[in-house]
Amino acid sequence: MKFLPLLTGLLLMSPNAQSAEPHSVFTLRGTCQSFLVGTENLTSLCAGEVMQVVYTDSRMDLSIWTDAPSGRFFVLSGTASAENGNLALAVDQITEGKDGSGNNNVEIKASGKCTLAGDPTAGPAQYTCEATDDTDKTYKFALLTDGAPPENMLD
């Protein structure tokens, strides 16, 4: 995983870090179909790789990487649940990492939802996210996984 150095920092900075342990940490790869942040179209910068962390208290982080030279990334956080046989994330916070250092992160309250339709261990699956932060900035993301099994980062 090319973003492995960020893994430890993300787990430590997560709002879940003090209250729960990671239950599962997976990296999924695929084709970024769209990635919009406010008026910015980041689709061409989308790395086509996400990290999904589910904590023992049912919270979840979905980290979206970019290929921006600065190391910019986004983490959508909230409560995970099953919905119609799919994984759902009720987004209540978005963290934007301005660079790969983890020192220049901006956290903001948000509302929205991400879903993972399909089983990424059995073939391609579809992530879709739509959220709005407290400043009324919208976030839209869609990624179709490549069908390869997710990489388990806890092994």
Side-chain angles (χ1 to χ4, degrees):
M1 173 181 163
K2 71 180 187 176
F3 300 103
L4 187 57
L6 285 176
L7 176 61
T8 303
L10 283 174
L11 292 175
L12 291 175
M13 70 144 207
S14 169
N16 307 311
Q18 279 95 24
S19 62
E21 296 291 321
H23 171 68
S24 64
V25 180
F26 291 102
T27 298
L28 300 108
R29 293 174 183 83
T31 302
C32 191
Q33 298 165 311
S34 65
F35 188 20
L36 307 171
V37 176
T39 59
E40 289 183 275
N41 186 340
L42 301 177
T43 306
S44 66
L45 290 176
C46 181
E49 182 174 348
V50 296
M51 183 172 60
Q52 172 187 301
V53 181
V54 179
Y55 295 87
T56 54
D57 64 356
S58 297
R59 286 200 50 93
M60 180 177 146
D61 293 337
L62 180 66
S63 301
I64 304 168
W65 312 115
T66 74
D67 285 330
S70 65
R72 191 175 180 195
F73 64 91
F74 295 82
V75 181
L76 287 74
S77 300
T79 303
S81 64
E83 184 178 287
N84 299 322
N86 298 312
L87 179 65
L89 168 62
V91 177
D92 60 20
Q93 178 178 307
I94 296 175
T95 301
E96 179 179 353
K98 300 288 186 177
D99 59 45
S101 74
N103 296 322
N104 297 306
N105 298 340
V106 177
E107 296 177 2
I108 191 162
K109 291 187 182 294
S111 63
K113 183 164 98 174
C114 294
T115 57
L116 176 60
D119 179 357
T121 65
Q126 178 72 53
Y127 264 111
T128 55
C129 297
E130 287 195 30
T132 303
D133 69 21
D134 279 358
T135 67
D136 287 329
K137 184 187 293 186
T138 58
Y139 300 77
K140 294 183 181 182
F141 174 72
L143 179 122
L144 180 64
T145 67
D146 60 10
E151 182 180 351
N152 185 344
M153 303 305 294
L154 292 180
D155 283 347

